[in-house]
Amino acid sequence: MPHDHADHDHHDHDHHDHGPGHAHGHDHGHHHHGPGGHSHAPKDFGRAFAVGATLNIGFVVAETIAGLMTHSLALLADAGHNLSDVLGLFMAWGAVVLARKAPAGRRTYGLRKGTILASLTNAVVLLVAVGAIAWEAVRRFADPQPIETGPVMIVAAIGIAINTATALMFMRGSKDDLNIRGAFLHMAADAAISAGVVVAAAAMWATGWLWLDPVVSLGIVAVIVLGTWGLLRDSLDLALDAAPRGIDPRAVRAWLAERPGVTEVHDLHIWAMSTTETAMTAHLVRPENPDNDQFLHEICGQMSSRFKIGHVTIQVESGGVATCHLAGADAV
């Protein structure tokens, strides 16, 4: 995590003017939003997680029973995949709850970053799951298996309804929050898999072509991998403290350098505190600094409204004889 400095002139101001020297912890720094847009995932999606998890647990149980009764390996395999998605839902839900816990002890940021770890884990689990489906599909090319198309189509159709309904509950937040996006992709992927099962079973019933099952499965795998790759890339970036997608550090540096009286910008760091909150630290060289507090308030307000960076810490330096040891281009 980026370092802190004992001599910061300003710490964690939001875009409201609370008067000189006022430090305020807040939740206004959301990336991937339009101006003024704020995401409150813990409040908005608690019910979605509860309903989604309950529906999917019930479906896993029903699908397992149906698979055992019809001797359908396809249904049992899909039940196992759905179970992994239920675990993914619980993981994303848990991360949202943990993110609301107040900072304590050595965890000065609280547990906000759990949302990033959950989205990263969800992406990895989803790719592993579709990898298993692809392996099974390739194996079935060599050894096609007949399936009981009627029961399989009925159960898969129920799966489409449940997974689509669950995915729709998370669609609204999937653009703003990677953790919610992970949950959305899990449910959307399940709906796609169930749809593919229905199509393949209907075609096999009509034609008797057993190879349709693995062909459709591989097509679904390709679609899911394409959709999940972005989640994996963005989650990994945030886990490595990269600037969130949609925030250009060069544009931030250029804007800071244009502020009145600023002669140099160095030690600029922008990183995600969670999947919805962004922080920034920077050193500004400003030889003449008579309006220090007002200058800092204006910068923090603009950072929030222009760049969606809400947790801003600025260190102002006069640029005197003692040059900052972090002023070098290669300093971190």
Side-chain angles (χ1 to χ4, degrees):
M1 181 60 65
H3 53 268
D4 201 358
H5 303 281
D7 56 345
H8 280 166
D9 290 278
H10 173 76
H11 181 69
D12 282 356
H13 288 269
D14 66 8
H15 60 266
H16 300 294
D17 189 352
H18 296 285
H22 181 87
H24 179 57
H26 51 88
D27 294 312
H28 298 294
H30 305 313
H31 56 81
H32 305 306
H33 288 259
H38 302 299
S39 172
H40 302 285
K43 294 180 181 178
D44 290 350
F45 294 98
R47 179 174 294 180
F49 278 120
V51 172
T54 301
L55 285 175
N56 280 274
I57 289 173
F59 181 60
V60 166
V61 173
E63 196 171 28
T64 301
I65 293 173
L68 292 172
M69 291 179 65
T70 61
H71 306 289
S72 171
L73 180 62
L75 284 182
L76 289 175
D78 193 46
H81 173 67
N82 283 323
L83 181 60
S84 75
D85 284 350
V86 170
L87 295 177
L89 270 183
F90 276 114
M91 185 165 51
W93 189 5
V96 166
V97 173
L98 290 176
R100 297 168 62 181
K101 293 180 70 68
R106 291 183 299 111
R107 295 190 177 94
T108 57
Y109 280 112
L111 297 172
R112 287 174 168 84
K113 208 150 198 172
T115 57
I116 296 173
L117 297 179
S119 63
L120 177 59
T121 304
N122 259 329
V124 172
V125 169
L126 192 52
L127 288 174
V128 169
V130 297
I133 294 172
W135 177 265
E136 175 65 14
V138 170
R139 192 188 67 78
R140 286 200 175 192
F141 272 118
D143 183 24
Q145 298 290 324
I147 63 172
E148 298 183 42
T149 55
V152 168
M153 288 173 64
I154 293 172
V155 175
I158 296 173
I160 294 174
I162 290 176
N163 289 312
T164 300
T166 307
L168 288 174
M169 289 189 288
F170 293 112
M171 181 181 287
R172 179 166 53 87
S174 63
K175 292 182 180 179
D176 300 328
D177 186 341
L178 277 182
N179 188 39
I180 300 301
R181 184 171 151 199
F184 168 75
L185 283 176
H186 262 296
M187 296 300 103
D190 274 353
I193 290 171
S194 295
V197 169
V198 170
V199 171
M204 289 170 67
W205 173 79
T207 64
W209 295 343
L210 300 182
W211 53 266
L212 283 172
D213 185 29
V215 167
V216 172
S217 296
L218 288 176
I220 294 169
V221 164
V223 171
I224 294 173
V225 168
L226 288 174
T228 307
W229 194 255
L231 174 68
L232 177 65
R233 178 197 60 214
D234 291 348
S235 299
L236 190 59
D237 278 345
L238 295 192
L240 295 173
D241 285 335
R245 185 168 294 274
I247 297 178
D248 183 357
R250 290 173 299 182
V252 173
R253 181 183 293 274
W255 186 86
L256 288 171
E258 293 170 356
R259 295 311 90 207
V262 173
T263 60
E264 183 191 341
V265 179
H266 59 267
D267 199 37
L268 173 65
H269 295 282
I270 303 170
W271 73 100
M273 297 171 62
S274 71
T275 50
T276 57
E277 297 171 283
T278 305
M280 183 199 86
T281 60
H283 291 201
L284 305 183
V285 177
R286 197 176 191 235
E288 301 295 330
N289 193 35
D291 56 342
N292 180 59
D293 288 341
Q294 184 62 30
F295 174 72
L296 293 174
H297 278 298
E298 288 177 356
I299 283 184
C300 293
Q302 289 294 313
M303 279 291 145
S304 179
S305 61
R306 282 175 176 265
F307 299 102
K308 308 300 168 276
I309 302 174
H311 294 258
V312 176
T313 306
I314 299 293
Q315 178 167 308
V316 178
E317 300 164 353
S318 64
V321 177
T323 304
C324 177
H325 71 286
L326 293 171
D330 57 347
V332 176

